Amino acid sequence: MSLIRITFALATALLVCTALIPDATALPRMSATSGAPCSTCHYNSDGGGLRSEIGWGTQWMTGAFDHEQTKLTFLYEQETNRVLDWLAVGGDLRIQMARLGEPTASLEDGQTVVQTPGRRIIPMQIQPYLAVMPFDFLTIHGSYALGPDMVRGDFCSTPFAGQTCWQAHATVDIDPDWPSLRVGRFRPSIGMRHDDHTMLIHSDASRSRGFLIPANYAEYGAELTYQPRSWIKGDGGVFLAQQLSESIGDADLVEPLSPAYLGRVTYMPRLDFGPDASFYGWLGASVYGAGRFRMDQAFLGLGWLDRAALMFEVTHLDYGPDRDRRGLNAAAMLAVPVREWFVAEGRVEQALMFEDEEQSRQQAAVVGLHFYPVPFVKIRPEYRINRTDRWTMGQYAVQLHFFY
Amino acid sequence: MSCNESDLMTRRQALKALAAVSVCPLLLNCEFVNFHGEVVEESTFSLSDPAMEALEEIGGRVCYEHGSRGILLIRVSEEEILGFDQICPHQDQPLGLCSGDTSNALWDQDQQTLTCPWHESVFAADGSVVGGPSPDPIETYRVEFDPQTGEATVFST
């Protein structure tokens, strides 16, 4: 093993010894504008987590300043994230500056005094990944997201209900023409997988930070993925609804060890109208449920290769016939990669919850940039407006993301 | 694997890009907060309200809408109801307790402490931190309660 490989292996091991908040990453716009499914660039067939050699190699080349210009060539001598033929490593480290929490207001001498939540710099994510490939047909993939209270000895402090600190699954893919099988503890293939865990698309609008499918959501279970043609894919799985029960917060509705089911169908056409007019996209639907709860999703992604990605997603939350409770969430997203290392992105979202003739609503609008100054480093400034039934707040936030 | 030279930007272009990104902090001036709900100095409720009936028992808890604020009310004795902000200051997570919420904050009647279910920050009745990771005290609200009539008034400060 070369010195560089050992260095990278040690760097990854060091990540394990540092701290922070779990998250999970996936950039659907990358799939839409590159014309390739998520599994091309990630070991996880649903996207997110450890990058494959192709995904890693693409990022190795993506930066405003290349290796020569930065004089940091020694950092980029490694041309793969495989430290051994059968072992790949990676990780995500994110630091965010934002106003966290809710604004408050009080009356003082008849005057309304508004208090904006303080601006904080927080380590959002330190999450190392590992993939072991003992045979061609078998990949074992795992990750551990360290919690923010690690410095106090708590290595697993998950800030959102339903989150897990560790995930691990084995993927058996004997033949590309056959279904592949994933077994372990992982995120079921629900709808689209997003990079931003604060998105409202999976939220319960009646709750503050009520993310039903938070970042690093994972359940014990098994899932089959079958892609008989390049343009059609189906996923089906069964899981234990342990984390879903927690994130919903109602054990009567979803018992912690009750079975959860998943089904998803995705149509992925590619349309070529000339060298500068190639389009790729997905049109799909998924259903995920357990007990008396069910989440139906429909999603559409349209990518103009290397130019833009437009994505829509709709979620319907059904809390069963015994309750007059329904949720309806929607999101629209637009991403424009001006250059490979400079991507403008925006989205609007709304989450609605109807319960006993009352309605709760949350809305969000976000515009931002993904700027890659050098490979494996991203600066992500954004301006976001969040609206609840109580307040509307606009704020600037910025994220520094190191990944490998 | 090698870089395509035509895809690499010049230093000048890169500096322009950096300048564009650095403009974003100017948006700080666009930060704002608007409240839709009524901001109140005080509000009243009665235990005869079915939504508040949990407070009829000692240890009972409810989520209470105090104007634009969400408050966790706990009946700690025959004569006393305490009011805590619904958001834990540790990681700004809701303390739970409302219908459909995830997990309940724990009220220790003997110690008179409130423990956030997420990461076990422990707060005294006056909101001060007595244990756990929270760096800040939790906001409390004064509640004047008349056990004879079951009427109560919640004050913002």
Side-chain angles (χ1 to χ4, degrees):
Chain A
M1 197 181 335
S2 71
L3 184 60
I4 293 295
R5 289 182 180 210
I6 293 172
T7 303
F8 277 118
L10 286 174
T12 304
L14 272 176
L15 283 178
V16 181
C17 300
T18 340
L20 308 170
I21 296 181
D23 194 16
T25 61
L27 289 166
R29 59 104 179 153
M30 281 189 164
S31 169
T33 56
S34 67
C38 302
S39 57
T40 303
C41 292
H42 291 273
Y43 281 97
N44 187 342
S45 63
D46 194 36
L50 183 61
R51 293 145 191 96
S52 67
E53 280 195 289
I54 294 174
W56 188 93
T58 302
Q59 293 303 314
W60 185 82
M61 297 187 295
T62 301
F65 291 92
D66 74 353
H67 315 152
E68 300 293 337
Q69 287 172 314
T70 57
K71 310 296 183 192
L72 296 173
T73 50
F74 68 97
L75 286 177
Y76 299 100
E77 288 178 5
Q78 181 85 350
E79 294 189 11
T80 172
N81 60 346
R82 287 199 183 197
V83 292
L84 297 169
D85 287 342
W86 50 271
L87 178 66
V89 297
D92 281 294
L93 189 159
R94 296 189 198 221
I95 299 165
Q96 187 181 49
M97 180 183 71
R99 296 187 186 279
L100 304 173
E102 297 190 357
T104 59
S106 58
L107 275 181
E108 292 182 12
D109 299 328
Q111 299 292 315
T112 301
V113 178
V114 173
Q115 193 167 5
T116 308
R119 183 171 291 282
R120 293 196 211 169
I121 297 175
I122 58 157
M124 277 176 71
Q125 176 188 24
I126 287 188
Q127 187 165 11
Y129 309 117
L130 192 74
V132 178
M133 293 141 284
F135 307 104
D136 288 343
F137 64 87
L138 178 64
T139 302
I140 299 166
H141 178 215
S143 69
Y144 196 92
L146 295 153
D149 292 326
M150 181 187 159
V151 289
R152 299 179 182 89
D154 184 356
F155 286 78
C156 181
S157 58
T158 49
F160 298 100
Q163 284 188 313
T164 58
C165 291
W166 67 270
Q167 302 185 33
H169 66 265
T171 303
V172 180
D173 193 359
I174 295 173
D175 188 302
D177 293 330
W178 293 9
S180 65
L181 173 66
R182 279 199 292 169
V183 180
R185 192 189 203 195
F186 58 98
R187 182 189 187 279
S189 299
I190 309 161
M192 288 168 61
R193 185 164 175 166
H194 299 282
D195 179 47
D196 190 331
H197 69 274
T198 64
M199 286 185 67
L200 301 176
I201 193 69
H202 295 129
S203 289
D204 174 347
S206 68
R207 288 165 44 191
S208 172
R209 306 178 76 175
F211 306 116
L212 301 179
I213 308 293
N216 283 332
Y217 170 79
E219 302 281 14
Y220 292 102
E223 184 178 302
L224 277 175
T225 296
Y226 184 44
Q227 188 168 358
R229 299 285 185 274
S230 62
W231 46 268
I232 187 82
K233 185 171 82 164
D235 307 277
V238 290
F239 300 87
L240 287 179
Q242 193 171 15
Q243 302 306 117
L244 182 65
S245 177
E246 183 181 301
S247 67
I248 290 176
D250 187 341
D252 292 333
L253 190 74
V254 178
E255 293 179 17
L257 296 178
S258 62
Y261 53 88
L262 165 87
R264 185 176 73 171
V265 176
T266 313
Y267 170 57
M268 301 172 290
R270 177 160 182 157
L271 306 169
D272 287 306
F273 300 107
D276 203 27
S278 291
F279 297 89
Y280 176 75
W282 350 274
L283 174 64
S286 70
V287 57
Y288 182 58
R292 284 169 287 153
F293 173 79
R294 202 179 82 191
M295 174 186 291
D296 301 320
Q297 291 201 270
F299 50 95
L300 169 68
L302 180 62
W304 182 7
L305 294 194
D306 300 327
R307 298 296 182 88
L310 185 61
M311 296 162 282
F312 300 95
E313 191 166 20
V314 179
T315 303
H316 179 254
L317 304 171
D318 185 336
Y319 288 78
D322 302 338
R323 297 188 186 185
D324 185 12
R325 192 163 204 262
R326 297 283 184 277
L328 185 62
N329 305 339
M333 298 147 275
L334 174 67
V336 180
V338 182
R339 301 293 294 263
E340 284 180 348
W341 42 264
F342 194 90
V343 181
E345 198 170 70
R347 71 170 190 266
V348 289
E349 295 180 273
Q350 177 167 273
L352 295 169
M353 181 61 73
F354 306 94
E355 183 171 17
D356 298 330
E357 298 179 1
E358 289 193 3
Q359 174 185 307
S360 303
R361 181 175 62 178
Q362 294 187 35
Q363 295 172 314
V366 181
V367 291
L369 297 174
H370 295 239
F371 176 65
Y372 301 77
V374 294
F376 303 120
V377 178
K378 179 166 72 173
I379 301 169
R380 185 175 173 180
E382 65 183 25
Y383 184 73
R384 57 173 76 164
I385 298 174
N386 290 87
R387 179 191 167 96
T388 70
D389 292 330
R390 289 180 184 159
W391 47 263
T392 301
M393 182 167 70
Q395 68 157 308
Y396 172 77
V398 65
Q399 191 184 111
L400 181 60
H401 184 189
F402 301 94
F403 56 96
Y404 184 76
Chain B
M1 202 172 293
S2 63
C3 296
N4 181 344
E5 291 298 325
S6 64
D7 287 341
L8 297 176
M9 68 181 308
T10 64
R11 289 176 189 275
R12 178 171 296 187
Q13 287 173 313
L15 289 172
K16 284 181 180 176
L18 282 169
V21 172
S22 63
V23 164
C24 293
L26 296 177
L27 289 170
L28 281 167
N29 294 329
C30 298
E31 291 192 319
F32 67 92
V33 175
N34 292 327
F35 274 84
H36 314 306
E38 185 185 5
V39 179
V40 297
E41 260 176 308
E42 59 184 65
S43 62
T44 59
F45 66 86
S46 171
L47 295 196
S48 61
D49 181 347
M52 311 301 286
E53 64 184 11
L55 292 178
E56 288 178 356
E57 294 183 8
I58 294 173
R61 301 168 294 187
V62 297
C63 284
Y64 176 67
E65 297 288 329
H66 176 64
S68 62
R69 305 300 308 273
I71 295 178
L72 169 58
L73 295 175
I74 304 175
R75 178 86 179 262
V76 296
S77 68
E78 284 294 339
E79 298 81 20
E80 192 176 14
I81 293 174
L82 294 182
F84 296 93
D85 198 278
Q86 236 173 270
I87 304 297
C88 175
H90 172 221
Q91 288 188 359
D92 304 305
Q93 290 291 334
L95 288 171
L97 198 57
C98 299
S99 172
D101 220 327
T102 300
S103 46
N104 290 342
L106 303 174
W107 173 254
D108 187 320
Q109 188 67 24
D110 295 333
Q111 301 293 323
Q112 295 280 294
T113 56
L114 179 75
T115 301
C116 176
W118 292 103
H119 306 104
E120 299 182 341
S121 291
V122 184
F123 305 97
D126 64 359
S128 59
V129 181
V130 294
S134 180
D136 302 307
I138 192 166
E139 194 166 345
T140 58
Y141 297 83
R142 185 163 62 91
V143 182
E144 285 186 358
F145 174 54
D146 182 347
Q148 303 301 320
T149 62
E151 303 291 323
T153 303
V154 181
F155 296 89
S156 292
T157 53

